[in-house]
């Protein structure tokens, strides 16, 4: 059992979406906690920056087995890239203890103005790539009795108008989490989700919000989250580290809100 909370010493973790936001914060925290990390994203420059932050975070306190981050540039909507990411991780480290499925996109659209192209874009990365990478990773996670953490959303457990494909994709991930948790429980592999509320990252702006609209969205988050503010990537990273580590050894199939209480709210 781990000597201190969230100790990941000796663990190998593959983190998708590590070039930005929640995935980047998770990469840095996992490095601090002693994990050897394989990081993937599309933007090479950003990935390199996060890799350097991981090295700085470890600093002089390099623990046994904690290696330089492995940086893997790839587009997870391409099957060959997904396969390469997993293969290179195993080639480098020889094992996999933790898979964090964090990469994701948001697009705005309702049933009146969405398109099948939008549905495909959102589902390809938010659902299909997770299905594929997890399929490939499972034999290695079974060997280590490892752990999977999926980054879902409050949109997976609550319904909001105007982000239809995104909402549906996150519900699918929560169902995926529970089903795979039951399938792998006999092999002692745990599978959980974290469900963030609004977290300050690039996600919504990349989904199409202007700077002005994003500023208003964050302002409104003070009302839409019980704690009166949006979250920070590091706050989600800490929940991911808990779910990934042996500290949550009796938790599987759970979707844990990390959303300032938003999931419990009801308009009145
Ligand atoms: N921020 C929020 O308010 C919020 C709330 C709930 C849930 N989430 C979830 O948290 C996760 C992380 O989002 P974030 O907020 O950290 O957003 P972000 O800053 O935009 O980061 C998204 C990450 O996903 C990667 N990604 C996107 N499409 C990809 C593709 N086709 N192939 C490979 N990588 C891809 C991006 O890589 P590149 O940048 O290199 O392209 C980036 O590293 C997502 O699943 C999101 O749905 C976020």
């Amino acid at each position: 059992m781990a000597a201190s909370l969230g100790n990941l010493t000796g663990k190998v973790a593959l983190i998708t979406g590590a070039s930005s936001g929640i995935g980047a914060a998770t990469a840095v925290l996992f490095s601090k906690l002693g994990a050897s990390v394989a990081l993937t994203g599309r933007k090479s420059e950003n990935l390199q920056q996060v890799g350097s932050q991981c090295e700085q975070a470890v600093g002089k306190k390099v623990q046994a087995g904690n290696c330089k981050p492995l940086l893997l540039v790839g587009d997870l909507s391409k099957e060959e890239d997904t396969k390469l990411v997993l293969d290179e991780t195993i080639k480098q480290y020889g094992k996999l203890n933790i898979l964090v499925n964090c990469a994701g996109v948001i697009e705005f659209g309702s049933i009146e103005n969405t398109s099948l192209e939008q549905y495909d874009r959102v589902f390809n990365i938010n659902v299909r790539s997770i299905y594929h990478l997890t399929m490939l990773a499972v034999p290695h996670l079974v060997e280590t009795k490892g752990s999977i953490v999926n980054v879902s959303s409050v949109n997976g457990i609550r319904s909001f108008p105007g982000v239809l494909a995104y909402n549906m994709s996150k519900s699918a991930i929560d169902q995926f989490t529970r089903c795979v948790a039951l399938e792998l429980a006999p092999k002692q592999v745990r599978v959980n989700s974290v469900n963030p509320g609004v977290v300050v990252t690039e996600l919504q702006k990349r989904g199409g919000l202007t700077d002005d609209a994003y500023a208003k969205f964050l302002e409104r988050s003070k009302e839409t989250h019980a704690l009166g503010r949006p979250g920070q990537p590091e706050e989600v990273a800490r929940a991911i580290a808990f779910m990934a580590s042996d500290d949550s050894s009796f938790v599987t199939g759970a979707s844990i809100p990390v959303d300032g209480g938003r999931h419990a709210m009801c308009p009145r």
Side-chain angles (χ1 to χ4, degrees):
M1 188 55 73
S4 62
L5 271 182
N7 188 348
L8 298 177
T9 304
K11 308 274 192 197
V12 172
L14 169 57
I15 303 169
T16 74
S19 48
S20 181
I22 294 169
T26 303
V28 173
L29 178 61
F30 273 36
S31 299
K32 274 187 200 159
L33 294 173
S36 296
V37 292
L39 309 179
T40 185
R42 289 174 300 185
K43 293 186 178 146
S44 169
E45 212 172 290
N46 291 357
L47 204 56
Q48 278 170 26
Q49 245 172 40
V50 176
S52 307
Q53 286 167 15
C54 289
E55 289 185 59
Q56 281 164 21
V58 174
K60 290 188 184 124
K61 292 185 292 178
V62 179
Q63 305 183 41
N66 185 299
C67 308
K68 204 174 153 67
L70 175 65
L71 307 180
L72 301 162
V73 176
D75 181 341
L76 295 177
S77 65
K78 297 183 182 150
E79 289 178 28
E80 59 277 17
D81 283 15
T82 303
K83 196 169 173 316
L84 205 71
V85 161
L86 196 272
D87 288 349
E88 289 297 317
T89 303
I90 299 300
K91 198 165 125 195
Q92 170 82 8
Y93 295 120
K95 67 168 184 174
L96 183 68
N97 302 92
I98 298 164
L99 171 63
V100 180
N101 285 312
C102 185
V105 293
I106 196 168
E107 292 200 21
F108 298 91
S110 75
I111 194 63
E112 293 183 293
N113 57 28
T114 187
S115 64
L116 287 179
E117 289 74 19
Q118 177 172 72
Y119 176 93
D120 285 342
R121 278 194 303 272
V122 172
F123 268 71
N124 271 342
I125 178 68
N126 288 12
V127 183
R128 192 174 189 273
S129 79
I130 293 179
Y131 199 93
H132 187 205
L133 183 59
T134 306
M135 266 167 53
L136 298 173
V138 157
H140 303 282
L141 293 165
V142 166
E143 270 182 38
T144 57
K145 296 186 169 54
S147 163
I148 300 170
V149 184
N150 298 316
V151 181
S152 178
S153 170
V154 65
N155 296 54
I157 45 183
R158 290 292 178 267
S159 307
F160 302 96
V163 274
L164 181 58
Y166 183 76
N167 259 294
M168 290 171 65
S169 73
K170 294 302 186 180
S171 295
I173 287 308
D174 287 342
Q175 186 65 271
F176 177 76
T177 297
R178 289 188 292 270
C179 292
V180 180
L182 295 183
E183 289 168 0
L184 298 182
K187 298 184 173 171
Q188 304 304 311
V189 175
R190 297 182 303 106
V191 189
N192 294 291
S193 298
V194 294
N195 296 62
V198 173
V199 178
V200 183
T201 69
E202 294 303 305
L203 186 82
Q204 285 85 5
K205 281 188 276 178
R206 293 172 84 178
L209 287 192
T210 61
D211 285 350
D212 193 36
Y214 186 61
K216 286 187 182 134
F217 176 71
L218 289 185
E219 190 56 30
R220 200 170 131 60
S221 295
K222 294 178 181 171
E223 289 161 34
T224 55
H225 294 66
L227 287 179
R229 63 174 177 86
Q232 294 299 325
E234 292 73 18
E235 296 181 286
V236 183
R238 287 197 290 274
I240 294 173
F242 171 71
M243 297 310 267
S245 77
D246 295 339
D247 293 311
S248 60
S249 53
F250 203 47
V251 184
T252 198
S255 291
I256 304 293
V258 187
D259 66 353
R262 189 173 194 181
H263 70 282
M265 294 172 77
C266 198
R268 57 180 299 208

